[in-house]
Amino acid sequence: MNHVVLMGRMVRDPELRHTQSGHAVVSFRIAVDRRFSGKDGGDRQADFIDIVAWRQTAEFISKYFHKGRMIAVHGSLQVREWTDKEGNKRWSTEVQADQAYFTGEKREGGGGYNSPPPFDDRDAPPIDAGGTGSVSGSDFAELDEDDGELPF
């Protein structure tokens, strides 16, 4: 099974291009924190992962994500092989993103959280967590951070 789930911060703005047949493709890199820190207990380390997305997912990412923004992606690992100008074989490993999600980080202008449903390029039906159909923003209320009545 080839299934990858990553969450990280975009290192630079996504780069949207189109193939000769008109299909959108976007490539970008994210920094993913490791679960452990260095040997000396210092700063946490990150891995830099290349991501590629196609068609509507590519357009969605290029429209709503930018450098510094957190993103979560679901997809698969892909290894490409090619020969360089000197005749040496080279390999590139990247994640082929099928889905892209906002991570729920606080909005830059304040006032709530960004957590719309994910975009799925495989034409899956919309996600409905409550089973009640679409949910509008008026169905939710802001909570004070010091609400002592929360059960958790």
Side-chain angles (χ1 to χ4, degrees), residues 33-38 41-46:
D33 286 336
R34 292 186 180 174
R35 293 173 54 173
F36 55 88
S37 60
D43 294 336
R44 293 184 66 132
Q45 295 186 0

Side-chain angles (χ1 to χ4, degrees), residues 26-37:
V26 70
S27 57
F28 57 98
R29 180 174 285 176
I30 61 175
V32 179
D33 286 336
R34 292 186 180 174
R35 293 173 54 173
F36 55 88
S37 60

Side-chain angles (χ1 to χ4, degrees), residues 143-150:
L143 294 176
D144 292 334
E145 290 186 30
D146 191 25
D147 190 352
E149 296 185 26
L150 293 176

Side-chain angles (χ1 to χ4, degrees), residues 11-66:
V11 175
R12 61 180 161 265
D13 289 335
E15 199 176 302
L16 181 67
R17 298 180 314 274
H18 289 84
T19 64
Q20 289 180 348
S21 58
H23 296 293
V25 59
V26 70
S27 57
F28 57 98
R29 180 174 285 176
I30 61 175
V32 179
D33 286 336
R34 292 186 180 174
R35 293 173 54 173
F36 55 88
S37 60
K39 292 180 183 178
D40 58 356
D43 294 336
R44 293 184 66 132
Q45 295 186 0
D47 291 303
F48 295 87
I49 312 293
D50 291 321
I51 314 284
V52 175
W54 293 84
R55 297 179 179 81
Q56 289 86 6
T57 302
E59 292 171 358
F60 172 76
I61 291 169
S62 70
K63 183 175 181 181
Y64 293 107
F65 291 91
H66 53 82

Side-chain angles (χ1 to χ4, degrees), residues 59 68 81 83 102-104 109-110 127-128 136:
E59 292 171 358
E81 181 181 331
T83 305
F102 291 102
T103 62
I127 292 177
D128 181 11
S136 70

Side-chain angles (χ1 to χ4, degrees), residues 114-134:
N114 276 336
S115 55
F119 185 84
D120 186 348
D121 194 25
R122 297 174 295 175
D123 296 325
I127 292 177
D128 181 11
T132 59
S134 64

